[in-house]
Amino acid sequence: NGTIVTTLRDVHTEHVNVLKFSNTSPHLFATSSFDKTIKLWDLRAPKEPIFTRQSEQGCVMVCFSSDDKYVLSSAVDNEVRQYTLDGEFHMRYPIVQTGSPRNYTRSYYMNGSDYIISGSCLEDAVRVMCSRTGKMLAEVHMEGRQNTGDLYVQSLRGDPHRPFLFAALIAYNTGEYLPNEIIKVNLLGESLLGS
């Protein structure tokens, strides 16, 4: 039995994919949409966004760095950009595009804000990049139990407790249902037994 405090209408002109609250402010949240924009909002003044930033493709994801200094935007086909919290453009990550309008890309900060991970639904790789410079640090190709060659990264997250671990949810593009798999990756190459 909650109480509706605020209702925002017509915040985007196409489907809204994600709404994420900031990590340190209960009033700030960001939205991403297939209308090719991300927007930062303040619940205390919800009539207009704090800022709107445009992408070339529809925006799939948006998230905040753990310290809320940056906002990460992921658009279709590996278009990943980073902005400061006041909306200043920081960088576009140099990820090769496939040319497909169906290559939905998701990117997140890993534990802390020093690295980002990015994966797309038409590719089997998770890319690890320096969030400050954009330098590609690793490209990890997923290998599932099904030997179809048609696996892709459906979703991914950095481990919130260990800085060099992430998990990827992989799925298969085969036309028939194959069970999804979750693959945990330790970028340091160490065993996770007993941890």
Side-chain angles (χ1 to χ4, degrees), residues 11-48:
V11 296
H12 287 276
T13 59
E14 290 190 34
H15 182 81
V16 175
N17 290 309
V18 170
L19 179 151
K20 294 272 185 166
F21 275 91
S22 79
N23 297 300
T24 60
S25 171
H27 307 289
L28 296 180
F29 68 95
T31 55
S32 67
S33 170
F34 279 144
D35 68 6
K36 302 179 182 178
T37 65
I38 63 162
K39 298 182 181 187
L40 182 67
W41 303 87
D42 188 328
L43 285 173
R44 296 166 294 190
K47 292 188 190 279
E48 296 292 326

Side-chain angles (χ1 to χ4, degrees), residues 91-136:
M91 75 170 23
R92 181 172 176 172
Y93 291 88
I95 307 172
V96 176
Q97 294 184 296
T98 66
S100 173
R102 296 184 51 213
N103 193 27
Y104 302 114
T105 302
R106 292 163 183 85
S107 303
Y108 296 91
Y109 291 96
M110 290 188 71
N111 183 320
S113 302
D114 294 332
Y115 309 103
I116 68 162
I117 53 176
S118 185
S120 299
C121 70
L122 293 181
E123 300 176 86
D124 69 353
V126 172
R127 295 166 181 95
V128 181
M129 293 164 282
C130 175
S131 65
R132 305 292 191 256
T133 67
K135 180 180 179 182
M136 183 79 64

Side-chain angles (χ1 to χ4, degrees), residues 45-193:
K47 292 188 190 279
E48 296 292 326
I50 296 170
F51 69 74
T52 300
R53 294 296 171 263
Q54 189 82 29
S55 290
E56 295 167 13
Q57 305 284 334
C59 294
V60 178
M61 281 295 310
V62 65
C63 64
F64 293 88
S65 61
S66 61
D67 58 7
D68 283 340
K69 290 183 179 179
Y70 296 98
V71 177
L72 189 65
S73 168
S74 307
V76 170
D77 203 18
N78 296 323
E79 184 183 346
V80 180
R81 299 171 189 246
Q82 183 171 245
Y83 302 91
T84 62
L85 194 60
D86 60 4
E88 292 294 316
F89 176 76
H90 182 251
M91 75 170 23
R92 181 172 176 172
Y93 291 88
I95 307 172
V96 176
Q97 294 184 296
T98 66
S100 173
R102 296 184 51 213
N103 193 27
Y104 302 114
T105 302
R106 292 163 183 85
S107 303
Y108 296 91
Y109 291 96
M110 290 188 71
N111 183 320
S113 302
D114 294 332
Y115 309 103
I116 68 162
I117 53 176
S118 185
S120 299
C121 70
L122 293 181
E123 300 176 86
D124 69 353
V126 172
R127 295 166 181 95
V128 181
M129 293 164 282
C130 175
S131 65
R132 305 292 191 256
T133 67
K135 180 180 179 182
M136 183 79 64
L137 303 172
E139 186 170 272
V140 182
H141 291 272
M142 302 289 106
E143 295 179 10
R145 285 182 288 160
Q146 310 294 330
N147 292 322
T148 67
D150 291 328
L151 68 86
Y152 64 91
V153 177
Q154 183 171 332
S155 190
L156 67 166
R157 297 288 188 287
D159 186 312
H161 307 290
R162 298 180 192 125
F164 295 101
L165 271 64
F166 70 85
L169 173 64
I170 61 167
Y172 295 90
N173 242 346
T174 61
E176 65 182 69
Y177 174 75
L178 293 173
N180 291 356
E181 297 174 41
I182 297 173
I183 298 175
K184 193 163 191 173
V185 176
N186 183 342
L187 292 169
L188 300 178
E190 300 167 348
S191 172
L192 298 176
L193 295 176

